Structures are given as structure tokens and as C-alpha cells.
Amino acid sequence: MAATELCSPRIYIHDRFIPYRPHLDVDVAHARLMSPPSETKNHSLWGNDHQLIYGDVLNEILDSPGQKRVLPIAPCQSPESQRSSMSSIDSPKICSRKSRRKVVTSPKNILDMPKIRNDFYTNVLDWGHSNKIVVALEQTTYIWDVESKVCKKVNIVTEDEASSNFVSAVCWNNEGRLVVTGDNQSHLKVFDPEMEKIIHGVNVDGKTTISVIRWRNNEIYTGDRKGRVYQYDLRCPVLAGRLVGQGLDICGMALSNNSHDMVTGGNGGVVRLWDLRAQHCFRTIKAHNGCAKALAWCPWRSSIIATGGGAQDGYIKLWQIHTGELNGKMSTKSQVCGLLWSQEYQELASSHGSVTPENNDIVLWRMSRFQFEPLAKLQQHLARPLHMTLSPDGTTIASAGVDEMMCIWECFPENRDQYRKQSSSPLALNQVIR
């Protein structure tokens, strides 16, 4: 007995640029081929004014005004969408098909951040893998549990230090259990927020401000205002710093997830790339005309870094670390305070500071082939959002501004597939042609 074949229903996927053959009338097509071209436009094919405009645009594009087509070309949009597209055909802000993703532009939570310092050379915000946010306000460190909404105050500054010291940098470890802080007197402290106990402490030679801290596995890296990069190994009985490199004032630092590379940035717009295994700088890039604080490694291509310039520059640039080649750039005309990548959506978030309140915002960029395409603006801060961090699951951004507010933004929801299922029509513009 022959096997029975199970035939699935045929799904027609039409191409918007190739005429749909079942609509072809052979007799009419033959008559048009045999008849001489007419100088007058016959608008009987178009049923209304919207389709008339669409036909005129097609004639201009195909450079054959007034000539009728042998193969039918039918509009693939509704009259309403045709009207909107025709009205914006000369506008430079035409949104592409991919930019139809809906972004929630209002914050989910707003928290009060009193006494946060208006200092571009600090990094006092971080989101740990325990889903807790640490933020430093002058001498006090706060731990906010995102799930329980409970805020805990941790004061590790002694009475002798409290008069003149302030916490200038914070960072969680990989497990989100320990926090390391640095202050303006070169004091580095590792403490347990639950026990409120200092585990390690060290004073860096020469009193200066520790601007940025990064922690990976058992190693802590710091950058300070004297341009020094230190490495600390927690496995050593005595926490001692080892000088890795030196340059201009350092206020930005980022570690690569897939290699032993590190990038630092600071005054003069100079960006340095470090090989942590050999402990040397293998490339120096004059990236910007202003201070380069915002630095971020591309999560899906480890050889690409994004850098942002200060108020005198305002550019976001993409660099190839192996060659030092500039892969792309975008002028924002404002100070770039922070950069974050979304691996799931392949988008870039940038925070900007400006003297005008309406320009202190966070911008989401779609990075198709590393080309910048603005997607949405998150506007809530009244002053520049100096600090920005990403949640462990990559769905939410926390930003802290000089306006003494911390905003929680749900920019990258996990159920991404819902944005792909907007229409079941084979002619929907959000469908893949092939």
C-alpha cells in the first residue's frame, strides 16, 4: 500500500517588487503591447485620489510618465498608510520598517537621589547580578533591592574620613554579593552589604580621586584622576595594587567579556586599549576632542568598541580594536555621559547631558550593520544623567542624574517575538521578503 502524503497548505509569500502573475489579464496585456503609447494619462485604473498619487510617484520613479504597464503593479499599502507616506516623502525623519518596535518612553520607577554629586569624573551607580542596585551619595552607600523595593543604607566611611571624603566609584563583583568602593582620597574598600563589614581595604599611593572601578572574577581594576590604572588580586593575603599603566585623567573603563582586553578613556579624548595578560597598552586612539568617559564593548562582536565624547565633541564612534579603524560615527551635539549595548535587540543606548533640560535624555539607536538609526528618546531627567547601568537580564536600564533622580526604564522586554507578529498579511512591510 502506497504511503499517504500529508500535504501542508501552501503559503504564498509575495514579493513587493515582482508583479503578482495571477492578476495578469493576457488579452489586455496583448492589446497594450500592440497599441501605440498614449500621450494622455488614463486614470481609469486608479480608483481614488490616493491611488492616483501613488501612480504618479511610480511613473516618476520608473522614468516613463503616462505609459501603462503590461504587468499589473498594485499598491501594497492601505490608503491611510499611502497618505501618510506621501506626506512624509520629503521628510528626513522617515522611520524604517524595523523601527516600528514599541518602546516604553516613561520610567517604571523614579527614586529620589539627594546629594548626588554633579561630577563627570565619578561612577557611582551599578547593578549587580543579585538584582540589587548600589548608588553612592556623598559618604553614604545605598543598596536598593529591585524585587522587594527595599533600600538599605550602608555607611563604611569613618568619622575621621566623613568630613572631607566622598565615594567616587562603586562596583559589584560577578556574583552580586560584594561591593567595592573608591573615594577621593584613594581609599579602596571591599565590603559585604548584608553583614555591613569591610573585607579588604587599601590606600593607593598619592591621594587622588578613584574615578572608576571594574571587577571581574578575583581581579579589581581602578582608574584615577592621575591617569593610573591599578590591578588588585583578591586571592593575595594582603590586598596590594599593581600599576598597569598611566596616562591622562581616567574617568571611563570597560572590560571585554570574551577576552582579556580592557579599554580606558579620559581627558583629551584619548582611548587606550590594554592587554591584561601582558599588562601593556597595545593601542592608543585619539578618539574625541572632549573627555571620553562613555565606553562599551559590543557584546556580539568583541572586536568593536563604542566611545562617546564630552561636551566639546558630542560624537558616538565605533572602533575596530585590532586595526584602530573607525567603523562608524554619529554626532549627537551634546555631551555623551554613558553607553550601553543590548545584545538581544542589537541596539545601543546613550545618555546625554546638556545645558537645556529638554536635551538631557537617553537615546536608543538601532545598529543595523553598525549604522546609527534613532529609535526612541527617553526623556525624564531635568539635568544630565551622568550614570547609567544595565540590569543583569539585559531588559532594564537604570539612570541617575544631577537632578537627584534615578529612573528605571524597561527598554528591552524579554518577549521580543510579539513585535514580529504585527500582521499576517503576506504584503505586510514588517515581513521578510525572502
Side-chain angles (χ1 to χ4, degrees), residues 208-274:
T208 185
T209 301
I210 299 177
S211 302
V212 60
I213 303 175
R214 293 293 178 263
W215 192 338
R216 183 170 62 186
N217 299 329
N218 295 309
E219 297 174 343
I220 298 175
Y221 297 90
T222 67
D224 58 33
R225 293 297 304 273
K226 289 187 177 180
R228 300 175 301 183
V229 179
Y230 279 93
Q231 178 191 39
Y232 300 88
D233 196 330
L234 296 177
R235 294 168 292 187
C236 298
V238 179
L239 188 64
R242 179 168 51 182
L243 186 64
V244 177
Q246 196 164 3
L248 298 174
D249 291 4
I250 296 175
C251 60
M253 179 184 294
L255 298 174
S256 174
N257 294 327
N258 302 325
S259 67
H260 295 275
D261 296 330
M262 179 177 68
V263 58
T264 60
N267 272 350
V270 177
V271 173
R272 287 182 170 87
L273 296 163
W274 306 86

Side-chain angles (χ1 to χ4, degrees), residues 121 156-157 161 164-169 180-190 200-213 220 222-230 232 239-241 243:
Y121 292 88
I156 59 174
V157 179
E161 299 172 345
S164 59
N165 289 23
F166 64 87
V167 179
S168 54
V180 58
T181 64
D183 62 15
N184 62 322
Q185 299 296 323
S186 300
H187 297 153
L188 190 70
K189 299 178 182 179
V190 179
H200 296 283
V202 64
N203 294 340
V204 183
D205 295 335
K207 292 185 178 180
T208 185
T209 301
I210 299 177
S211 302
V212 60
I213 303 175
I220 298 175
T222 67
D224 58 33
R225 293 297 304 273
K226 289 187 177 180
R228 300 175 301 183
V229 179
Y230 279 93
Y232 300 88
L239 188 64
L243 186 64

Side-chain angles (χ1 to χ4, degrees), residues 2 29 52 86 104 121 161 171 228 233 251 259 286 364 377:
L52 178 61
M86 294 306 166
V104 180
Y121 292 88
E161 299 172 345
C171 184
R228 300 175 301 183
D233 196 330
C251 60
S259 67
K286 182 62 172 68
L364 300 184
K377 277 189 177 183

